[in-house]
């Protein structure tokens, strides 16, 4: 329908104007939309072929759109090169009824590309991952970053002095008023315990967020992010775990047959346990999926019966799988970032390059 067509064009051209990142792009936008052969100019020219009433109606709409776009164009131009815009606006003064220009400023003007904020890759990738598992039926569970020993270790089958605790390089905090130990959670597996103690099986839960370990090099930072998954039901087996992770990788990386390897491993809270690596290629500053090297992206396994029992779940009836994936690692592989430390450097140029545009809000 005519109205729909106009609306689509309006949204598209406004969105394109919103994306404009510099003077040259602005000039190109002008040429494509308002120039002699621009889409809006052509749409106006084609009105002649319509019946009179329709021509009047659409002519009114399109002319209003043209005035509004010209106003916005002038505003942007003024911002990008003040001298030039003043000259143009003096030249084009006659009959210029820009309704949205109040006191020389149009506050509804879209933010220009240069000043536009970016989403940090971590929350963006977390959203990508959790929406996949959400669609598979996993429900988000929460847990604190400052944890106690029980949720982070003991209930996960790591009693005091268990050698596996040393692998975690924990940040300990001073004890609370009651003398209970406090620490920064070393993994999101602590949320498995909270979720199972708070409900009754079956469980299909996930958890996401910051985790902390005393570590710092090209592939480790003291704070990093994990996404945990836990599926406890009757008859769950390792095949479900493999299928679920394979499916995830195919969706996340956007192609089938992502080169994955399940490597036998050890975690006190899963038996059997595995780590999953993705084949990758490192070349100078870049990193890509597929190649001669392997990068570990997650730990996983079948939930240990001791963990189920510590949460009051009958391990004779219920069993399940769990995994914990490193968000930075997945982001690095998908978007070709080489050094994990850059996620935390707050460097503007890096963020402009790797960050994501927020959803653009286009005026109706
Ligand atoms: N918590 C483990 C880690 O941080 C990952 C993991 C989660 C392993 C769930 C098995 C099951 O390394």
């Amino acid at each position: 329908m005519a109205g729909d067509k106009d609306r689509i064009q309006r949204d598209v051209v406004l969105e394109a104007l919103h994306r404009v990142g510099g003077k040259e792009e602005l000039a190109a936008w002008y040429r494509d939309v308002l120039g002699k052969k621009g889409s809006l100019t052509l749409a106006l020219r084609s009105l002649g072929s319509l019946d009179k009433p329709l021509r009047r109606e659409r002519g009114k709409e399109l002319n209003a759109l043209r005035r509004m776009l010209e106003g916005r164009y002038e505003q942007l131009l003024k911002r990008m090169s003040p001298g030039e815009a003043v000259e143009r606006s003096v030249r084009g003064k006659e009959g210029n009824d820009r309704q949205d220009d109040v006191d020389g400023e149009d506050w509804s003007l879209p933010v220009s590309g240069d000043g536009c904020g970016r989403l940090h890759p971590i929350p963006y990738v977390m959203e990508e991952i959790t929406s996949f598992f959400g669609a598979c039926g996993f429900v988000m569970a929460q847990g604190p970053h400052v944890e106690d020993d029980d949720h982070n270790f003991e209930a996960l089958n790591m009693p005091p002095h268990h050698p596996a605790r040393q692998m975690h390089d924990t940040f300990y905090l001073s004890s609370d008023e009651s003398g209970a130990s406090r620490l920064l959670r070393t993994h999101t597996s602590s949320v498995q315990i909270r979720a199972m103690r708070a409900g009754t099986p079956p469980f299909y839960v996930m958890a996401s967020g910051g985790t902390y370990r005393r570590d710092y090099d090209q592939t480790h930072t003291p704070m990093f992010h994990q996404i945990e998954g836990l599926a406890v039901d009757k008859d769950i087996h390792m095949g479900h775990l493999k299928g679920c992770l394979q499916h995830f990788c195919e969706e996340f990386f956007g192609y089938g047959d992502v080169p994955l390897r399940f490597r036998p491993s050890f975690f006190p809270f899963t038996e059997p346990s595995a780590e999953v690596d993705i084949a990758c290629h490192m070349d100078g500053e870049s990193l890509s999926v597929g190649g001669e090297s392997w990068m570990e992206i997650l730990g996983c396994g079948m939930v240990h019966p001791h963990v189920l029992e510590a949460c009051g779940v009958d391990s004779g009836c219920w069993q399940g799988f769990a995994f914990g994936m490193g968000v930075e690692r997945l982001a690095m592989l998908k978007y070709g970032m080489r050094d994990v430390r850059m996620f935390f450097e707050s460097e503007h140029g890096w963020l402009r390059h790797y960050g994501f545009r927020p959803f653009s809000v286009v005026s109706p």
Side-chain angles (χ1 to χ4, degrees):
M1 267 164 40
D4 284 345
K5 240 171 145 186
D6 292 345
R7 177 163 294 277
I8 288 162
Q9 186 185 40
R10 180 191 163 98
D11 287 352
V12 169
V13 295
L14 275 169
E15 169 67 8
L17 185 59
H18 179 74
R19 281 181 204 282
V20 160
K23 264 171 73 177
E24 268 146 40
E25 282 176 39
L26 183 61
W29 176 88
Y30 188 92
R31 198 184 51 239
D32 293 348
V33 179
L34 296 168
K36 262 193 202 156
K37 290 190 181 152
S39 52
L40 189 57
T41 314
L42 295 181
L44 274 160
R45 258 193 228 145
S46 71
L47 291 179
S49 60
L50 299 178
D51 292 345
K52 210 171 175 192
L54 190 57
R55 191 190 324 154
R56 279 187 61 182
E57 188 196 327
R58 290 201 57 202
K60 235 168 125 183
E61 286 171 19
L62 287 178
N63 274 313
L65 178 62
R66 188 183 60 182
R67 279 197 302 276
M68 187 267 281
L69 290 174
E70 275 174 349
R72 293 194 171 197
Y73 165 78
E74 289 291 342
Q75 289 280 338
L76 260 185
L77 188 64
K78 190 153 78 181
R79 216 185 271 173
M80 287 175 185
S81 48
E84 226 170 281
V86 169
E87 204 187 302
R88 281 182 62 87
S89 70
V90 171
R91 267 195 276 127
K93 205 73 190 165
E94 80 291 353
N96 190 356
D97 57 341
R98 278 149 45 192
Q99 294 142 333
D100 47 7
D101 187 357
V102 180
D103 295 336
E105 278 302 334
D106 174 6
W107 297 105
S108 65
L109 195 67
V111 179
S112 80
D114 277 350
C116 194
R118 299 258 154 181
L119 279 182
H120 192 280
I122 294 298
Y124 185 87
V125 169
M126 296 224 291
E127 176 68 30
E128 278 188 298
I129 302 174
T130 52
S131 33
F132 170 83
F133 288 107
C136 296
F138 288 78
V139 174
M140 188 60 87
Q142 307 285 345
H145 291 216
V146 175
E147 260 299 0
D148 55 43
D149 191 89
D150 182 42
H151 290 95
N152 198 79
F153 290 126
E154 187 123 21
L156 285 162
N157 201 26
M158 278 188 272
H161 312 300
H162 192 293
R165 284 190 179 210
Q166 274 157 25
M167 283 162 35
H168 281 229
D169 290 323
T170 312
F171 286 107
Y172 285 97
L173 307 174
S174 49
S175 328
D176 68 10
E177 309 85 63
S178 67
S181 70
R182 291 187 316 158
L183 48 89
L184 292 180
R185 68 179 181 195
T186 58
H187 51 182
T188 41
S189 299
S190 53
V191 188
Q192 285 184 33
I193 305 300
R194 292 187 176 272
M196 283 197 277
R197 285 183 178 164
T200 50
F203 298 106
Y204 289 89
V205 291
M206 58 180 162
S208 71
T211 49
Y212 309 83
R213 292 185 204 175
R214 294 159 52 117
D215 231 344
Y216 189 65
D217 60 32
Q218 198 176 342
T219 47
H220 296 90
T221 45
M223 183 205 186
F224 56 104
H225 296 81
Q226 286 190 336
I227 290 181
E228 189 88 9
L230 171 75
V232 173
D233 207 329
K234 307 218 159 131
D235 307 325
I236 294 247
H237 55 71
M238 196 87 181
H240 294 124
L241 170 63
K242 278 190 84 171
C244 178
L245 294 176
Q246 182 82 39
H247 185 190
F248 162 72
C249 286
E250 283 165 13
E251 285 286 318
F252 181 73
F253 290 107
Y255 62 96
D257 282 340
V258 178
L260 279 188
R261 119 179 138 179
F262 279 74
R263 189 165 34 81
S265 185
F266 172 77
F267 298 102
F269 34 94
T270 45
E271 181 58 35
S273 303
E275 282 172 306
V276 174
D277 304 329
I278 292 203
C280 62
H281 176 66
M282 294 191 193
D283 178 15
E285 285 303 295
S286 73
L287 172 70
S288 51
V289 174
E292 67 299 335
S293 316
W294 293 98
M295 185 187 269
E296 180 205 322
I297 53 156
L298 63 88
C300 61
M302 299 302 293
V303 182
H304 197 293
H306 288 179
V307 175
L308 296 173
E309 297 297 339
C311 299
V313 177
D314 182 354
S315 61
C317 267
W318 304 95
Q319 58 189 11
F321 67 70
F323 58 81
M325 47 180 72
V327 177
E328 281 81 358
R329 298 282 179 93
L330 284 161
M332 284 165 81
L333 278 168
K334 181 161 177 178
Y335 297 105
M337 304 152 176
R338 187 69 204 265
D339 189 334
V340 70
R341 292 172 291 198
M342 289 310 291
F343 285 105
F344 302 95
E345 293 286 318
S346 307
E347 202 183 281
H348 201 217
W350 182 87
L351 190 59
R352 268 233 294 276
H353 183 72
Y354 286 113
F356 294 89
R357 285 188 73 84
F359 298 110
S360 42
V361 182
V362 177
S363 34

